[in-house]
Amino acid sequence: MKTEELYSGKAKTIYKTENPNELISEFRDSLTAFDGKKKSEAKNKGYYNAQISKKIFEMLEEEGIKTHYLGMVSGNEMLVKKVEIILIEVIPRNIAAGSITRKYPVEEGTVFKEPVLVFDYKSDEFGDPMINDDIAVAMGVATREEIDFIRSMALKINAILKSYLESNGFLLPDFKLEFGRVDGEIVLADEISCDTCRFWDVETGESMDKDLFRFDKGDLSKAYEKVAHRLVPEIFEE
Ligand code: C5P
């Protein structure tokens, strides 16, 4: 049971529960892009993202990845472990898209020979700048050992997720991960959804993710529904 609101972000609201070690993460229909400069709403987006995230967390747990996921409270509300979020956004990249093609001489669609891991400092104030291990350690956001662990965990998650999505008809150019500390270990936190990944249809190459909203490329709710149809078909059964 939700008690009080702890924090409201751009797409999720986090609530305290009666258990001090557990929180409820509510996935909302609100959408933002470009540091909150572009805003909108998309019908059922919160529900589809919550269900997709749930499915991916369950699949990763089965593959031995520890996550903050505990269960669902309702269609768009997830019960999670309370963790101390590490202020690094970890972005595994398999195919060049988005910011990497704007900052470096890399053509969109270039398939990387091996995954490229990018670390951004999670800070609205500083505009999420790209950092490296040394900067993260110097700022005190994580220890060297934690960063090494996060790196290997991110690569493992990337390999599992990429092959899971390919078997469901999607390419995974890139996605964002967040990690947290709980009970002396590091677990995967936040969400893995159409808002935080690039999903390209393997047949048509179409975006089925937040780029639809960022670049006004099409109907976001419909695309997220299609992703949910492939990844969580059970929610469409009566
Ligand atoms: O913007 P950029 O191309 O660097 O994004 C890389 C990947 O990370 C994309 O899949 C994007 O959706 C995700 N991302 C995110 N949250 C951010 C930044 C990037 O989910 N704050």
Side-chain angles (χ1 to χ4, degrees), residues 10 35 89-93 97-100 102-103 118 120 128 173-178 190 194-199 209-211 214:
K10 293 178 190 125
D35 293 329
E89 296 191 339
V90 181
I91 302 170
R93 295 181 179 274
S99 66
I100 200 165
R102 295 192 294 272
K103 291 181 185 159
V118 175
D120 287 347
D128 298 345
D174 54 41
F175 62 111
K176 186 224 22 173
L177 296 170
E178 292 185 26
D190 197 45
C194 297
D195 275 7
T196 63
C197 298
R198 286 198 166 89
F199 292 141
D209 54 55
K210 207 166 108 176
D211 273 352
R214 290 189 188 99

Side-chain angles (χ1 to χ4, degrees), residues 181-196:
R181 303 180 185 96
V182 59
D183 302 331
E185 60 181 8
I186 290 179
V187 302
L188 177 63
D190 197 45
E191 65 179 287
I192 300 187
S193 71
C194 297
D195 275 7
T196 63

